Amino acid sequence: MKLMSYSIAGRETWGAVLGDGVAELAIRTGHATLAGFIASPDFARRDALVADIKADAKLAEVTFLPVIPRPEKIVCAVRNYMDHHQEVLAAGMQRELSEQPPIFLRVWRSQTPHQGPIVRPHVSESLDWEGELAVVIGKEGRDISEADAWAHIAGYSCYNDASVREWQFHAKQIASGKNFESTGAFGPWMVTADEIASGRELKLETRLNGVVVQSSHTGHMIFSIPRLIAYASTIFTLVPGDVIITGTPAGVGWSKKPPQFMKPGDVVEVEIEAIGVLRNPVVAQG
């Protein structure tokens, strides 16, 4: 099942994607947000809840929101693809493989939805793309074992963890370049975990103005999804609606010679097998 957050007539809501439309579930279930639904017992009976209902609106008639608009935590993995690690070394950066997953946190205001603008801030011209698989947590847990991790996943989505590169390199902690407003694209929807076999290798492709700039698959991850969940849950309790961004493969603009970055007027797409296409225009900060 595909579940999405959206607004219609200025009202934020969420629902199930049915063909080219969406059926609103907030009113039908009594859960105001998708995160609230995921946290509830009703999530387990989602198929029954959408049986025999029809779409209330066309997708073209609604405004997409980030899949989870205001997650408590957005946990992002750094250099978690071997091909990306190798291109970073080839570009001259001195980085050793870590024994533990390197992570940082994004804030929810840094997100932008499917079809929403990725905003290049006025302080930089080095806005880079990073197509990534997003994991949405479905069950609360602390000290989750790798063996139990798959059971804590509600679903998967696409993410563009766009980076303001020189701000990322201001210090060893890269969060400043990863939290500019409207740079983390998230969508278009969440595909529930029962639709994708645990550990399935998913093809991931990023396109800039229709040209493929990243082409890889999730089997190249250095730290697996269960490892990321286990590590993050050792630090803090993961709750339904938390998002784990699993890292980007090779092909980022910074590593190209000469470097290539997103600019106003561009359109960037992240497509992940079995999930869909996340598409965003790039605009300048107003």
Side-chain angles (χ1 to χ4, degrees):
M1 183 181 296
K2 296 174 181 174
L3 299 170
M4 61 178 284
S5 298
Y6 64 98
S7 67
I8 186 167
R11 178 175 57 88
E12 291 191 10
T13 187
W14 66 276
V17 178
L18 302 175
D20 63 352
V22 59
E24 183 173 354
L25 294 183
I27 296 175
R28 288 182 170 99
T29 65
H31 300 290
T33 65
L34 177 53
F37 176 65
I38 290 170
S40 77
D42 288 333
F43 184 65
R45 50 188 293 267
R46 57 189 175 275
D47 290 330
L49 289 171
V50 302
D52 302 322
I53 68 173
K54 297 181 180 180
D56 302 303
K58 297 290 187 182
L59 291 175
E61 298 172 339
V62 306
T63 299
F64 285 79
L65 296 175
V67 177
I68 307 295
R70 300 170 187 84
E72 180 181 290
K73 295 181 286 297
I74 307 169
V75 183
C76 304
V78 182
R79 294 185 308 281
N80 195 34
Y81 278 68
M82 184 58 71
D83 53 0
H84 178 50
H85 175 73
Q86 291 169 341
E87 77 171 343
V88 166
L89 296 180
M93 183 173 289
Q94 301 299 315
R95 289 291 186 272
E96 295 182 359
L97 287 177
S98 172
E99 293 184 3
Q100 305 293 341
I103 62 171
F104 64 93
L105 299 179
R106 263 189 180 269
V107 298
W108 66 260
R109 288 185 185 275
S110 71
Q111 297 193 129
T112 192
H114 172 63
Q115 298 178 349
I118 291 176
V119 178
R120 189 181 77 175
H122 58 73
V123 296
S124 174
E125 295 185 355
S126 63
L127 180 63
D128 205 349
W129 58 83
E130 291 193 15
E132 310 198 15
L133 174 69
V135 176
V136 180
I137 296 298
K139 185 171 71 172
E140 181 175 317
R142 179 85 191 273
D143 293 318
I144 301 167
S145 70
E146 291 187 43
D148 293 336
W150 295 112
H152 286 260
I153 297 173
Y156 304 92
S157 189
C158 305
Y159 213 94
N160 189 343
D161 183 31
S163 306
V164 182
R165 289 300 187 198
E166 73 268 37
W167 282 73
Q168 176 184 333
F169 300 141
H170 280 180
K172 290 184 178 181
Q173 221 309 328
I174 67 174
S176 58
K178 297 283 193 171
N179 277 285
F180 278 83
E181 290 196 13
S182 299
T183 56
F186 186 14
W189 42 63
M190 179 188 82
V191 175
T192 53
D194 58 296
E195 299 285 334
I196 299 174
S198 299
R200 175 180 169 184
E201 293 183 356
L202 302 174
K203 181 180 178 182
L204 186 157
E205 185 173 277
T206 305
R207 298 181 290 269
L208 185 66
N209 300 322
V211 177
V212 175
V213 289
Q214 290 182 294
S215 182
S216 189
H217 64 77
T218 56
H220 288 304
M221 285 186 193
I222 297 169
F223 298 102
S224 68
I225 291 170
R227 181 75 182 96
L228 295 174
I229 290 174
Y231 183 78
S233 72
T234 304
I235 306 167
F236 33 57
T237 299
L238 292 176
V239 299
D242 280 351
V243 185
I244 296 182
I245 313 304
T246 56
T248 198
V252 299
W254 174 83
S255 68
K256 297 183 182 299
K257 299 184 183 304
Q260 180 183 6
F261 298 114
M262 296 185 291
K263 61 185 186 301
D266 286 345
V267 175
V268 61
E269 298 170 306
V270 176
E271 181 171 5
I272 302 179
E273 179 184 6
I275 298 175
V277 179
L278 167 66
R279 181 178 297 107
N280 299 92
V282 181
V283 304
Q285 180 182 351

